[in-house]
Amino acid sequence: MARESGAPVVSVTGGEPLIHPRIGEIIERLIEEGFYIYLCTNGLLLREKLKNFEPSKRLAFTVHLDGTEEIHDEVTNREGTYEEAFAGIEEAIERGFRVTTNTTIFEGSDPQDLHRLFRRLTDVGVEGIMLAPGYSYESVEEKEQFLDRKRSREVFREILDPQKTKDFPFYNSPIFLDFLRGKRELQCTAWAAPTYTVRGWRKPCYVLADEHVSSAEELMEASLWDEYGVGNDPRCGSCMVHSGFDTASIIDSLRTPSGAVDLFKSAMPEKISTLLS
Ligand code: SF4
């Protein structure tokens, strides 16, 4: 399936992928086939499962953290999850693994707490910090915790205050961060980050999943994208998820030489070396 998508990078998500009894073998095989892997985890089993992996420039663990201890443990509804995830991050870095993190921003996310979290992550040496705006899936009942686009931009302007974040290794593209702050517009290109699940390829995207299809090619048809995206489907109006818009920011910047240079200059050395190797 990874081969069918044509994508060079595969994010392995869950649930919790580290629970899978053959996760080490699955990742090893994907690496052998030349893919770059981001293994997304809550970090709770990371220390225990590290023995199943070999450090590789093609493998990064992406640990999900929603705030510092009090907030993260409340979101996960379990005491001790923050410190366990951090212990996993530290041990993975110590053993030579690449580690990035992902943080979802919801209504009520506390910018000061997030700055404290990002400070600690920067100090322990994570390679990159990814930000994701929470989006109200149709199947989620508590919609009030998700941000509409106007509110998202207010919150991101606070979180991305340049004075408070200048040495944080944000992993999203700088153009996507400008989009989150409301400094530029982008149209969704979710076809560039297709999602496969046990039910098939999600059509049109990770978020909406109106149907599941057996071929990734169906997701790439231009006519499909006349129906979806901002201005085409009302459900897309507040969506800013990175699978739709971080991809768009990269495609957008590669359209002009100056955009490509800006993207290249602002990317982190680790990310550049990964892409070039
Ligand atoms: S904007 Fe794109 S990623 Fe977001 S819900 Fe619509 S199709 Fe999916």
Side-chain angles (χ1 to χ4, degrees), residues 43-48 50 63 65 80-94 99 120 124:
L44 299 184
L45 291 172
L46 191 52
R47 284 197 294 173
E48 184 189 328
L50 275 177
V63 180
L65 287 166
T81 54
Y82 173 79
E83 282 305 338
E84 183 53 46
F86 241 99
I89 289 172
E90 287 174 317
E91 190 162 332
I93 292 172
E94 217 172 276
V99 178
R120 187 172 174 196
V124 301

Side-chain angles (χ1 to χ4, degrees), residues 152-168:
S152 273
R153 288 181 154 165
E154 287 164 9
V155 172
F156 274 106
R157 272 197 288 275
E158 259 191 272
I159 291 168
L160 293 168
D161 179 339
Q163 294 307 316
K164 296 177 182 154
T165 58
K166 53 178 176 258
D167 67 329
F168 296 159

Side-chain angles (χ1 to χ4, degrees), residues 6-53:
V9 177
V10 178
S11 290
V12 179
T13 65
E16 173 49 55
L18 291 180
I19 288 173
H20 195 290
R22 298 178 63 196
I23 188 66
E25 284 171 59
I26 293 168
I27 298 299
E28 193 183 340
R29 182 72 192 277
L30 286 166
I31 290 172
E32 276 168 14
E33 296 217 7
F35 294 102
Y36 286 91
I37 312 298
Y38 287 87
L39 194 157
C40 303
T41 172
N42 60 24
L44 299 184
L45 291 172
L46 191 52
R47 284 197 294 173
E48 184 189 328
K49 299 284 181 167
L50 275 177
K51 61 180 182 300
N52 298 325
F53 303 91

Side-chain angles (χ1 to χ4, degrees), residues 126-274:
V126 298
E127 179 180 309
I129 295 169
M130 274 182 272
L131 302 178
Y135 183 72
S136 150
Y137 295 68
E138 285 190 315
S139 55
V140 174
E141 279 167 17
E142 293 167 32
K143 289 195 191 318
E144 66 277 5
Q145 67 180 295
F146 294 98
L147 299 160
D148 67 22
R149 184 169 285 220
K150 183 169 169 285
R151 182 72 191 122
S152 273
R153 288 181 154 165
E154 287 164 9
V155 172
F156 274 106
R157 272 197 288 275
E158 259 191 272
I159 291 168
L160 293 168
D161 179 339
Q163 294 307 316
K164 296 177 182 154
T165 58
K166 53 178 176 258
D167 67 329
F168 296 159
F170 289 124
Y171 215 56
N172 308 93
S173 87
I175 292 170
F176 180 64
L177 296 180
D178 276 352
F179 167 71
L180 294 178
R181 290 185 187 101
K183 285 187 171 177
R184 64 191 299 158
E185 294 299 332
L186 292 168
Q187 178 55 287
C188 165
T189 57
W191 48 266
T195 301
Y196 185 78
T197 74
V198 286
R199 296 178 63 198
W201 293 99
R202 279 190 173 195
K203 184 178 175 181
C205 68
Y206 171 69
V207 179
L208 294 181
D210 284 348
E211 58 179 310
H212 289 81
V213 295
S214 58
S215 161
E217 266 179 40
E218 278 195 50
L219 309 179
M220 317 284 169
E221 282 168 14
S223 58
L224 178 70
W225 297 97
D226 293 338
E227 293 169 37
Y228 293 101
V230 183
N232 297 330
D233 184 310
R235 296 170 298 172
C236 299
S238 284
C239 175
M240 299 173 86
V241 298
H242 53 52
S243 55
F245 294 90
D246 208 351
T247 50
S249 71
I250 291 168
I251 291 167
D252 205 52
S253 58
L254 294 176
R255 284 204 175 108
T256 62
S258 61
V261 170
D262 283 350
L263 179 69
F264 195 80
K265 278 201 298 202
S266 54
M268 288 169 297
E270 297 86 347
K271 207 170 173 184
I272 291 170
S273 62
T274 299

